[in-house]
Amino acid sequence: MGLSLGIDFGTSGARAIAIDSSKNIVAEVHYPFTNANFQDWQKALFYLLDNLGDSVRSELKSIAINGTSSTVLLCDNWGNSLSEAILYNDGRGIAFLEAIKAIAPPHHPVISATSSLAKLFWWSQQEIFSQARYFLSQADWLAFLLHGKLGISDYHNALKLGYDLENLCYPHWLENLPMFNLLPQIFAPGTAIDTIKPDLVTRFAIPKDCLIYTGTTDSIAAFLASGANSLGDAVTSLGSTLVLKLLSSQKVDDSNYGIYSHRLGNLWLTGGASNTGGAVLKKFFSHEELRNYSLAIDGQKESNLDYYP
């Protein structure tokens, strides 16, 4: 049946897990980031493939990648990044919130200083913008390195760009923007795009019929991995931030409270992210302190403390 490879690009590092048709894990590889930008992403991607092992790579039939939501790149005709990527938590787009409010529906997820659209607005005012041909998310660009197709994304990564998840199309208010031609073609997450590039077949000895699929965001990948599948099921993911996703029959969006909904089949994943995650701890504790304190926690014993963000 062959193996499937899932690759996760988070804030602190990248991970790859290969599973068989019964969902048994057959290989795991981890790569810690040094600067968490596109040069390190490419290095990480190829490191993960290289370290899976010959026997695992020889059986790969499918690969999908998730990335941090709203981490974006501006690329030229050949997929080269024109500058440093803008990370998910970068709020430089705050200067363009009023311009976005003037065109977007009330409470839309793009009405945020860290939305993909706000970052595109910021980039539109920079000198390099005239050279831009593609505006891509982290997962889009990494998948391009594998299948070679530019301008391809999924509707999970496109939510904070303004894609209409109810009608599965770009809304008219977005199509009317002068930078609309940079936006990617959108597919459902998990759509087969193309087979792996011939040069990677040669380099890594991966079967030439191995398919590359559209991916998703890191927090949605965590929800899917949990096995949650019933209405009302909720999953919290603790990483650099604390993310909550709840499976709902209703779509809820309210930018005033940081709440938004992703589409998942015919249902909705409603939630948001809090800064009460791991990243804030690094502001107060050293890596050594965090390691020692973590080792001192007894995971079998219930804490008598309650914490509220």
Side-chain angles (χ1 to χ4, degrees), residues 101-214:
K101 285 180 181 178
I103 60 171
H107 309 302
H108 196 284
V110 297
I111 307 173
S112 165
T114 59
S115 74
S116 300
L117 187 62
K119 290 162 185 168
L120 181 58
F121 267 67
W122 180 87
W123 250 322
S124 71
Q125 302 302 305
Q126 311 309 308
E127 286 186 16
I128 60 166
F129 195 71
S130 61
Q131 305 170 46
R133 296 296 177 270
Y134 296 97
F135 182 67
L136 301 174
S137 75
Q138 180 185 37
D140 305 337
W141 186 75
L142 288 163
F144 151 71
L145 295 181
L146 298 182
H147 56 54
K149 307 292 184 184
L150 280 164
I152 301 291
S153 189
D154 63 90
Y155 59 61
H156 287 164
N157 276 293
L159 169 69
K160 295 177 185 177
L161 182 56
Y163 190 74
D164 184 343
L165 298 185
E166 291 179 292
N167 298 301
L168 297 179
C169 63
Y170 280 114
H172 292 306
W173 59 265
L174 203 54
E175 290 180 331
N176 292 332
L177 293 178
M179 64 277 270
F180 178 73
N181 62 307
L182 303 182
L183 305 192
Q185 185 178 1
I186 306 300
F187 293 89
T191 300
I193 297 302
D194 206 344
T195 52
I196 193 165
K197 290 164 56 181
D199 62 310
L200 299 184
V201 170
T202 303
R203 177 174 176 179
F204 295 109
I206 295 173
K208 63 182 181 181
D209 60 350
C210 177
L211 286 167
I212 312 302
Y213 289 76
T214 50

Side-chain angles (χ1 to χ4, degrees), residues 2-14:
L3 302 177
S4 298
L5 183 66
I7 302 177
D8 165 59
F9 273 74
T11 305
S12 60

Side-chain angles (χ1 to χ4, degrees), residues 16-98:
I17 296 181
I19 61 173
D20 62 21
S21 57
S22 299
K23 300 183 181 179
N24 298 308
I25 296 174
V26 297
E28 293 185 67
V29 189
H30 175 249
Y31 179 93
F33 287 143
T34 55
N35 62 24
N37 218 290
F38 71 95
Q39 289 118 333
D40 210 25
W41 300 342
Q42 181 167 346
K43 183 179 179 182
L45 178 61
F46 293 156
Y47 174 92
L48 295 175
L49 292 175
D50 202 33
N51 286 272
L52 280 172
D54 296 344
S55 60
V56 173
R57 289 197 304 272
S58 69
E59 294 186 58
L60 289 179
K61 293 297 181 185
S62 58
I63 302 175
I65 299 175
N66 76 67
T68 49
S69 175
S70 208
T71 292
V72 290
L73 302 91
L74 203 61
C75 300
D76 65 15
N77 246 337
W78 300 273
N80 302 307
S81 183
L82 293 171
S83 70
E84 291 292 293
I86 302 181
L87 301 183
Y88 69 97
N89 57 351
D90 191 308
R92 70 184 72 183
I94 192 169
F96 300 93
L97 283 188
E98 292 306 314

